[in-house]
Amino acid sequence: MSTHTLEIHHPTIALGKEVAYPTRYDPDLLLPISRSLGRALLAGLTQNPEAQIAFTGWDMWRGYELSWFDPRGLPKIGILKAWVPCTSTHIIESKSFKLYLNSLNNERMDDIESVKKRIKSDLSSRVGAEVKVQVVTPQEFASEVISEPLEGCLDDQAIEIGHYQPDPDLLACDPERIVSESVFSRLLKSNCPVTGQPDWASVHIEYEGAAIDHEALLRYIVSYRQHEGFHEQCVEQIFCDLMQRCQPQRLSVYARYTRRGGMDINPWRATQGLPEPVTSRSAQQ
């Protein structure tokens, strides 16, 4: 599958360049990017991808640099969690999201509900769907646990790998052996199509169907190492490639990307009817 580099222009933000932090609240800092730019290249999706979405899911963002003033001018802090549905027409470019959150630093707001309402409104209007928003207060920080799976790691295989662009032909499965299993790898790495910076993630795959060859699956995951793509697009490509090549009855693909610029992104795509993954942090986040 061919790769591509997005050329994105915005009147306020010079992406990939040094930008001064905002001193005043500015929702126009948020840069929406059409999901169709990535979906047009996915196997099984056409030029009208919104009518052909074969999965459910969301993109869960965590913002650690969230602060504002209370009505008396006393700074408050929290951790933002925002769930953008995969049915939204747009995603938000991560650097613009970071700048937007920092534009709230000197904004006076009445309470937590006012903060949530403001952020929810700004995000929803720009992604083209209703965004779910939560603000974790310092009193709740202890509940933000780190969790790691104990079984199903693909990474300890002693195999030869030499392909570093996504290639669904690397995948293989055994239609004679039907299984239900959960596997994961901490070796997913791609590059931001705007800045070229590396994006690191663990990817968690749960499926039921023809047994997927673990060596082949690890080679496929590692093949993203020199790929340029947004987090959300990479997860959708993995989902579509697995569905096309292995045709599982059920499939869930969930990636937990390492924090960069005070934010981490956690896209999840699944066949209809599967439960949502637990959104605890990984040790790398």
Side-chain angles (χ1 to χ4, degrees):
M1 185 175 294
S2 63
T3 61
H4 66 293
T5 300
L6 299 179
E7 293 187 4
I8 302 167
H9 305 281
H10 189 266
T12 307
I13 302 171
L15 295 178
K17 300 179 181 179
E18 185 175 346
V19 178
Y21 275 87
T23 57
R24 294 188 301 174
Y25 165 65
D26 186 0
D28 289 333
L29 288 168
L30 290 167
L31 171 59
I33 298 173
S34 176
R35 289 193 188 272
S36 64
L37 293 175
R39 287 177 177 170
L41 300 178
L42 294 179
L45 299 185
T46 68
Q47 294 299 319
N48 184 21
E50 279 70 34
Q52 304 257 342
I53 295 176
F55 44 71
T56 188
W58 37 247
D59 309 316
M60 197 276 276
W61 294 70
R62 269 186 295 254
Y64 300 92
E65 298 178 2
L66 175 63
S67 184
W68 66 95
F69 286 150
D70 73 6
R72 296 167 297 184
L74 179 67
K76 298 292 183 179
I77 65 168
I79 297 173
L80 172 70
K81 293 183 179 181
W83 288 261
V84 179
C86 71
T87 51
S88 68
T89 58
H90 291 72
I91 62 176
I92 296 295
E93 193 277 326
S94 59
K95 183 175 181 179
S96 75
F97 202 156
K98 172 187 173 69
L99 292 172
Y100 161 74
L101 285 186
N102 277 276
S103 82
L104 297 170
N105 289 349
N106 299 318
E107 188 76 2
R108 296 194 182 209
M109 286 183 273
D110 292 336
D111 50 29
I112 288 285
E113 288 306 313
S114 299
V115 177
K116 291 166 57 177
K117 184 177 180 180
R118 177 84 61 90
I119 296 173
K120 177 183 176 72
S121 175
D122 291 341
L123 291 178
S124 298
S125 66
R126 284 157 179 80
V127 303
E130 184 173 353
V131 175
K132 175 185 172 183
V133 169
Q134 176 186 354
V135 174
V136 182
T137 65
Q139 293 75 24
E140 300 168 313
F141 281 0
S143 66
E144 293 297 294
V145 299
I146 290 175
S147 68
E148 294 286 344
L150 300 177
E151 298 179 346
C153 183
L154 298 168
D155 301 342
D156 296 331
Q157 304 177 78
I159 59 176
E160 196 76 29
I161 296 181
H163 197 95
Y164 302 110
Q165 287 290 351
D167 184 358
D169 289 337
L170 293 170
L171 292 166
C173 59
D174 181 0
E176 301 300 319
R177 189 164 68 91
I178 304 301
V179 302
S180 177
E181 69 172 350
S182 298
V183 295
F184 73 97
S185 172
R186 297 186 179 95
L187 302 182
L188 178 61
K189 181 257 181 191
S190 55
N191 299 308
C192 173
V194 175
T195 66
Q197 294 184 21
D199 294 320
W200 308 90
S202 61
V203 59
H204 304 257
I205 297 168
E206 181 177 348
Y207 73 97
E208 180 179 336
I212 299 174
D213 181 273
H214 286 187
E215 288 190 11
L217 182 55
L218 183 58
R219 287 191 177 94
Y220 171 76
I221 291 170
V222 173
S223 74
Y224 280 78
R225 199 166 183 86
Q226 295 175 1
H227 175 65
E228 292 187 353
F230 292 116
H231 307 69
E232 302 92 337
Q233 295 166 352
C234 290
V235 170
E236 291 187 359
Q237 184 169 334
I238 292 170
F239 179 93
C240 289
D241 285 347
L242 286 170
M243 285 298 296
Q244 187 179 55
R245 296 289 166 165
C246 301
Q247 301 181 348
Q249 285 75 54
R250 299 187 305 115
L251 175 63
S252 172
V253 179
Y254 177 46
R256 302 195 287 180
Y257 277 86
T258 300
R259 186 189 316 184
R260 181 152 61 83
M263 308 195 75
D264 64 53
I265 311 174
N266 307 267
W268 170 60
R269 300 293 183 269
T271 50
Q272 297 288 339
L274 287 182
E276 298 184 6
V278 176
T279 56
S280 55
R281 289 166 51 196
S282 75
Q284 293 175 296
Q285 293 178 309

